[in-house]
Amino acid sequence: MNDITTVMQNQLEQKIPELVTCACGEAPIVAAIAAAKAMGANSGSVISYSNSGYNSIGSTDRCVGYGAVVFSKASPAAIPEVDTLMINNSYKLTLPDKKTLLKYARKTLEQYFYSQTLPLPRDINPLLKIKRGAFVTLNKHGELRGCVGHMTEDTPLCTVVGSMALQAAFNDKRFPLF
């Protein structure tokens, strides 16, 4: 219980610009950890995390995070390869990754066209959140209809793909909007 409070206090003491709190609802988080420990849990695994900056037009300057953690008595299964690949940015996209990104780009456009809302990239390979640049090309009946890219490696790849899909659809000045 003291571990999480200490971590949050240390973060606040770092005087990170605009950081007011490390977790809204800190008390329920600490209570959940204390209850898990009382029931014998000795580890926790993040099973889902997202934040409002992950959507295609979101900003990570000010965002809200959402997470789900499982506490258990067993040690979590670690994938050391993931950390190594993310640190040295050496991951090569697989065919399933490429299909996932294409599906996400299409879902971003469809959802935006129908409801002016954006999907969050959920249940995807964590390696698709490596910060990378990307270009998205849109074709209609085999003809180029938009191509826009973001080459700075400052944003998760899945987020860049959704954002560039929207940019290619609406902001490629070579093509009329309608």
Side-chain angles (χ1 to χ4, degrees):
M1 181 165 83
N2 292 334
D3 297 341
I4 188 93
T5 304
T6 302
V7 168
M8 288 184 204
Q9 187 61 41
N10 288 342
Q11 289 175 338
L12 289 171
E13 289 172 0
Q14 290 177 22
K15 304 291 184 207
I16 298 168
E18 298 186 43
L19 179 65
V20 178
T21 184
C22 295
C24 49
E26 179 182 343
I29 293 169
V30 172
I33 292 169
K37 283 183 176 181
M39 294 189 301
N42 61 5
S43 69
S45 297
V46 176
I47 58 169
S48 180
Y49 174 78
S50 190
N51 70 55
S52 57
Y54 276 175
N55 73 45
S56 302
I57 58 173
S59 169
T60 55
D61 294 344
R62 294 184 60 125
C63 62
V64 177
Y66 309 90
V69 177
V70 172
F71 297 106
S72 63
K73 293 180 183 178
S75 295
I79 309 173
E81 178 186 8
V82 171
D83 292 333
T84 302
L85 290 168
M86 289 182 88
I87 289 167
N88 65 23
N89 202 12
S90 64
Y91 183 69
K92 302 278 188 245
L93 293 176
T94 65
L95 184 58
D97 290 337
K98 292 175 184 179
K99 288 181 178 181
T100 297
L101 291 172
L102 178 59
K103 182 178 176 182
Y104 182 67
R106 287 178 174 158
K107 182 176 181 178
T108 298
L109 292 172
E110 288 172 8
Q111 189 169 322
Y112 189 78
F113 285 136
Y114 291 115
S115 66
Q116 282 72 54
T117 63
L118 300 168
L120 290 174
R122 298 186 186 267
D123 301 322
I124 64 169
N125 178 348
L127 292 169
L128 296 180
K129 292 183 181 179
I130 292 174
K131 293 181 178 183
R132 288 210 173 151
F135 272 84
V136 172
T137 301
L138 302 179
N139 291 295
K140 182 176 181 182
H141 307 296
E143 297 289 322
L144 179 66
R145 296 302 304 150
C147 182
V148 177
H150 175 88
M151 294 312 298
T152 308
E153 295 181 344
D154 61 353
T155 307
L157 178 60
C158 54
T159 304
V160 171
V161 166
S163 179
M164 292 304 102
L166 288 170
Q167 293 300 318
F170 294 106
N171 294 321
D172 188 334
K173 302 297 182 205
R174 298 173 293 173
F175 303 98
L177 193 53
F178 294 101

